[in-house]
Amino acid sequence: DADVTQTPRNRITKTGKRIMLECSQTKGHDRMYWYRQDPGLGLRLIYYSFDVKDINKGEISDGYSVSRQAQAKFSLSLESAIPNQTALYFCATGGSEDTQYFGPGTRLTVL
Amino acid sequence: AQSVTQLGSHVSVSEGALVLLRCNYSSSVPPYLFWYVQYPNQGLQLLLKYTSAATLVKGINGFEAEFKKSETSFHLTKPSAHMSDAAEYFCAVTEGWNFVFGPGTRLSVLP
């Protein structure tokens, strides 16, 4: 089984809808991250969490919110989706070493 | 704040030819540096990382990278390209416990 899982893998939604992307990990890591990937821009950090009680905004947090329900779960919400939030979204974890481990991604399309 | 540049958004090489993907970072303080690879429709997979133990770092699939502090560079090389190397490659640098990613370089391998 994969160490970092994301659901759904693909989602098409309409402008104005609320949507939640979920991430679960079995690596036992404290640190979890949400990124979005856009062509030519690499990965940009949306939110990160160093433990259940520690959540921080990243470079591009506007229009997004997160919830760290447990050490293993970190959800990303779009309260009112807009077309320019169409992107590939990745969850990642980080442990005691510096490496980050990525989930398979969620492809979100906002019409 | 750190920034990462990757020269060339798209690089094409012939099968068997040398692969050279360039990465430069902005900080004067040597950070930890990483190369990740993303195959089509997949998440990011760690290729190799530099953590100050040795300036020449060997990774998976025959890739290696050399850290050059004087040039603030961490270029990725492979002596002989294989068709299976076609993917997008991301350079990343640590900033505290977070990562800053470059925009990525798409590698095409021509038969």
Side-chain angles (χ1 to χ4, degrees), chain B residues 88-100:
Chain B
E88 188 149 20
Y89 292 79
F90 293 94
C91 181
V93 58
T94 51
E95 186 168 61
W97 284 111
N98 295 341
F99 277 24
V100 176

Side-chain angles (χ1 to χ4, degrees), chain B residues 17-87:
Chain B
L18 172 71
V19 176
L20 170 60
L21 305 182
R22 300 178 187 274
C23 172
N24 289 87
Y25 63 95
S26 61
S27 174
S28 61
V29 177
Y32 291 173
L33 293 149
F34 301 78
W35 276 99
Y36 281 84
V37 59
Q38 184 182 26
Y39 298 105
N41 300 314
Q42 295 187 25
L44 276 71
Q45 178 182 352
L46 180 67
L47 205 53
L48 51 80
K49 65 178 180 180
Y50 166 76
T51 58
S52 76
T55 56
L56 183 62
V57 182
K58 294 188 183 298
I60 61 172
N61 302 336
F63 283 92
E64 63 182 33
E66 185 173 9
F67 172 69
K68 292 187 176 181
K69 180 180 176 181
S70 61
E71 299 177 7
T72 60
S73 69
F74 190 55
H75 301 332
L76 181 71
T77 60
K78 182 175 180 178
S80 177
H82 190 272
M83 297 296 290
S84 61
D85 295 327

